[in-house]
Structure formats: C-alpha cells, structure tokens
Amino acid sequence: MAIRGSPILWQGEDSRVTLLDIPRSISAAQGTAERPCQDLLMSTEPLKAPYVAVEPKSERAKQNLQQNTVDENLHKIYRDILSSVLESIRQTHFGPWAHKRPFITNQGTVRHSKKRKLDSQDVPATGDTESEKGEPRSADTPLQDELPVTNNSLQLIHQAHDEPHTPEEICQICAPEDPRFRTNCNPVTLTIHPTKQNGHSAQDTLRLPPYSSCYIGDCAKTSRAFHTAIRHQANEHETRRHFDFILLDPPWPNRSVKRTYQTPGAGYDISGSLDDVYDLLMKMDLDMLMADECLVGVWITNKQAVRELVLGKDGVFDQWGVELVEEWIWLKTTLHGVPVTPIDSAWRKPYEGRGL
C-alpha cells in the first residue's frame, strides 16, 4: 500500500515493512500534518546500479572479517528476513522505489528532476532524474537548474507557498538564558542562524519544526546546561521533564568515512574510538531524562564490538536499565529496488540495524 504525497512509498498491511524515501522523510519531519513542509532536501543522486562487490579472496582476509562483524548466524537471519521482504514488496508494489529529488553532483551543483511536481509519485523507468539545461519547469515549481552547494551544511530547495508567509519568532516566554536552547512556539517552521560560538559557521541555517525545541551544543560536555534548559522549558510550558522516546545516531568510528572524507570540512565528524562513543553517551545522563516506559532507539553498525557496546553486558542499554524489545533493519536499495550490495556480501553489507 502506497501513501500518496508521503515519504512512505509502500507499507505492508501489518506495518512491519516500510519502503521509505529517506530524503523526503527528513523534509517531512520539518513540518506537521496541518502545515506540511514544502521544501526538499538536497541529497546525493540515487543509485541506479549496485556498487561493485569486492569480496575477500584469502582465508586470512575472510577470518579477519568474521572477527570484525557480528555472528554469522545473525547475518543469516538478516539475509533470510530481507530476501523474504524484498520478494513480498516486488509482488505487491509496482510503483517507484524513490521520489524524484534534487541532488548534488560531483561538480558541486544541484540538478533537478524533469518538470517536477511536489506531490509527484512517478519516477521514469530509466531512473534518470537529471533535467537538461533550459528545460521548462512546471508553474508550481520555480527551481533553478544549478545552484551552488557547500558540503558542510544541510540545504533545502524552497518551493512556492500558496499561503502568505507567517511571521516566525523565537518564543520569548520560555527562552532560557542559555542561547544554545531554542524553542519554536509557532505553527510554522522556524529558520534560525546559530552563532559561531555554538559550533556553527555564520552561513549555517537550521530549521526548527513547529512546536519543538532544540539544544545547539555538545550535550555531553555541557550536560548540566542541557538538563537545565529542559527543566526551564518544562516549568514555563507546564510540560513533562522526561521523554517517552529517545533516538540516537552515535558517531561510530568508521575507516571508510575517514578514507572518503579526507578534505577538512568535506565530511562529518566521527569518534576516534568506541571508548569515546561510550563516554559521549554516558556523559549526557540521558537515563535521567527517560520516562518509565521510555523507548530508546540507537543506530548501530554491523561490527561486533559496536553491538556489544550497546547491547552487551555492562553496555549502554545495561547501564541505562533498558532492555532490547525489537530490532529494526535498514536495507539500502538502488532506484530499482536492488540492494546496493549483495545481501550475502561478506565485505560490505547493504543493511544496518537499530536496537529499540
């Protein structure tokens, strides 16, 4: 079942399997059902073909891989589940596997889909999302063919709005003394420009969804200020001080990221070791902010050491008093629904997991 105009391209009847357009889902999260976000996230071009699979040839290389990843029995379970899921989607879903999108090219420019309409669901069978220079646009999508892009900031393409612009202001009654904490009490998305003191450049632009708050800073190094800001907001708005849901995406060490992003400012920061990640998570004192029935989601990689750090004895969940109740698997596919690498690949898995 597809949900028109939604990041969800298809979903099983029991909602256990979802085909999701990731860039569109990030854009959608910037708005509400009453006031949906009208902007599109610029991302990389969707893959049209899987990556070239390079498998280990020597026995020593195979043994090293086995020692560096989760138990092979668990990978077998993943492979069986994902193979079955892919087959069930292909039998019932005959639409696109990705929305049309503006994407960043290798030359640092953005290319847009041909005659793109905001609610368009159709993707050409060829998977070609580039438009020729000078191609006319639909009246409701006044996009340029090429825009300058920087690699270190989140950028969105602004669409035409049918309604007049509503003034957006930082909430004054709940603004704490700490400028790193921002609250948006408006029914529209708020655009804010952090200062350099908050760890961002003057050109950075952050978007705060309606009726939400954010802390622009290091929640580990300044955990006391982070907790104080949350208590301040709760007092001013008479809201709860504890969270029902916490989602974390830690900066896990990754050699591939280090090799890919060697130019300063061209990638994203990662921790130097697993000990650093553990210290980062512990110093935020998130267990003090959890409600009694709080759900905690943590993105993890396929490294055995990462899994043990989160789910093992004396690991993160153990320290927080959280138990594993479910595990989600994110399978990455091409524009045509093919895994980006073979599901049974020994070297590079096409999936990641999350403990919940």
Side-chain angles (χ1 to χ4, degrees), residues 227-243:
H227 286 242
T228 299
I230 292 175
R231 289 195 299 270
H232 182 97
Q233 185 199 30
N235 290 336
E236 294 296 332
H237 283 279
E238 299 182 353
T239 57
R240 297 169 57 191
R241 299 186 181 188
H242 299 91
F243 293 98

Side-chain angles (χ1 to χ4, degrees), residues 147-294:
L147 295 173
V149 177
T150 57
N151 293 324
N152 60 354
S153 62
L154 181 69
Q155 298 198 20
L156 296 104
I157 303 294
H158 295 283
Q159 307 295 310
H161 293 267
D162 295 330
E163 57 186 59
H165 178 72
T166 303
E168 303 169 354
E169 297 180 354
I170 293 289
C171 180
Q172 298 299 321
I173 65 170
C174 64
E177 295 181 358
D178 190 342
R180 291 168 293 193
F181 192 83
R182 301 292 188 93
T183 296
N184 180 11
C185 294
N186 299 277
V188 295
T189 299
L190 178 67
T191 301
I192 59 179
H193 302 278
T195 62
K196 291 183 178 180
Q197 287 77 10
N198 290 337
H200 297 268
S201 69
Q203 291 76 30
D204 283 346
T205 298
L206 303 181
R207 299 170 60 81
L208 195 56
Y211 306 117
S212 64
S213 302
C214 70
Y215 185 83
I216 311 171
D218 192 324
C219 298
K221 293 181 179 179
T222 59
S223 62
R224 179 173 296 182
F226 172 53
H227 286 242
T228 299
I230 292 175
R231 289 195 299 270
H232 182 97
Q233 185 199 30
N235 290 336
E236 294 296 332
H237 283 279
E238 299 182 353
T239 57
R240 297 169 57 191
R241 299 186 181 188
H242 299 91
F243 293 98
D244 294 319
F245 179 63
I246 296 176
L247 178 62
L248 301 166
D249 187 5
W252 301 112
N254 190 303
R255 287 181 296 179
S256 177
V257 171
K258 289 183 179 180
R259 290 193 299 267
T260 304
Y261 299 105
Q262 296 181 358
T263 303
Y268 54 89
D269 293 333
I270 56 176
S271 293
S273 69
L274 290 181
D275 289 339
D276 292 339
V277 177
Y278 183 83
D279 291 341
L280 173 69
L281 295 175
M282 290 297 102
K283 288 178 179 177
M284 285 192 290
D285 293 324
L286 292 179
D287 51 331
M288 298 175 61
L289 299 174
M290 297 178 188
D292 291 339
E293 300 297 327
C294 180

